[in-house]
């Protein structure tokens, strides 16, 4: 279950280098995670807090209230996080400091790279479990 788990979201726009969230998969993914009880911490360098708030508003504005935060600091979302989900292919996400992120996260920690852009070898070297698009499965730590 993901109820009560903190999940860091990297990217909210529908693609990198834009603030456009129309038809962004992040909206649906974040809403579903919130409905399941996850606590989200969202980072996007171009999308505003106001836009994310508008996109995550539900009809009753009750399920999603006070269950997510927004920051302009990538590493802030990793503090005490159980998982990180990469939802936009930002260049910044290719060169993250996985040692710092690993120290910030709770154990066991997970990385879900939905864009296939993260340096998964570095993440795994720092004891982070990885699932990446294109792998079809959990990438086992011992294959590298």
């Amino acid at each position: 279950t993901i109820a009560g788990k903190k999940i860091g979201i990297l990217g909210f726009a529908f693609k990198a280098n834009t603030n456009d969230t129309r038809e962004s998969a992040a909206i649906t993914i974040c809403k579903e995670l919130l409905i399941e009880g996850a606590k989200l911490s969202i980072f996007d360098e171009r999308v505003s807090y106001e836009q994310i708030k508008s996109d995550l508003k539900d009809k009753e504005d009750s399920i999603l209230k006070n269950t997510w935060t927004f920051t302009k600091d990538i590493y802030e979302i990793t503090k005490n996080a159980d998982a990180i989900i990469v939802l936009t292919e930002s260049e910044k996400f290719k060169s993250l400091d996985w040692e710092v992120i690993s120290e910030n996260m709770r154990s066991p920690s997970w990385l879900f790279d939905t864009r296939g852009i993260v340096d998964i070898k570095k993440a795994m070297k720092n004891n982070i479990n990885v699932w990446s698009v294109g792998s079809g499965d959990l990438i086992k730590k011992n294959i590298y």
Side-chain angles (χ1 to χ4, degrees):
T1 180
I2 60 170
K5 303 289 186 194
K6 180 181 176 189
I7 300 174
I9 302 296
L10 288 176
F12 198 82
F14 87 97
K15 69 177 186 174
N17 301 317
T18 182
N19 65 355
D20 190 351
T21 61
R22 290 175 294 166
E23 300 183 28
S24 174
I27 297 168
T28 304
I29 291 168
C30 288
K31 282 184 174 183
E32 290 298 321
L33 291 169
L34 291 168
I35 289 167
E36 292 295 322
K39 296 178 184 217
L40 303 184
S41 184
I42 302 170
F43 167 87
D44 192 295
E45 60 191 326
R46 299 192 188 261
V47 179
S48 70
Y49 167 82
E50 291 78 17
Q51 183 61 53
I52 294 171
K53 181 178 178 182
S54 175
D55 289 336
L56 292 181
K57 192 173 284 187
D58 70 345
K59 291 176 186 168
E60 297 83 30
D61 196 29
S62 58
I63 297 172
L64 309 179
K65 191 182 274 185
N66 298 321
T67 54
W68 65 275
T69 60
F70 174 76
T71 182
K72 288 289 187 180
D73 180 348
I74 290 177
Y75 296 99
E76 183 67 30
I77 71 159
T78 67
K79 291 181 179 172
N80 296 312
D82 296 287
I84 303 295
I85 304 175
V86 179
L87 295 176
T88 304
E89 64 280 359
S90 172
E91 286 294 316
K92 286 187 174 208
F93 305 156
K94 293 179 180 179
S95 59
L96 295 170
D97 187 335
W98 290 103
E99 185 175 355
V100 169
I101 292 172
S102 177
E103 291 172 5
N104 283 348
M105 293 180 75
R106 293 172 18 130
S107 183
S109 51
W110 286 88
L111 166 65
F112 298 92
D113 181 8
T114 69
R115 298 297 184 161
I117 63 163
V118 172
D119 187 336
I120 60 173
K121 289 181 184 179
K122 286 184 181 175
M124 290 175 14
K125 180 180 175 188
N126 286 284
N127 298 315
I128 297 174
N129 297 297
V130 174
W131 179 90
S132 182
V133 164
S135 70
D137 203 69
L138 169 68
I139 297 171
K140 304 293 183 196
K141 289 184 181 179
N142 61 3
I143 65 171
Y144 292 106

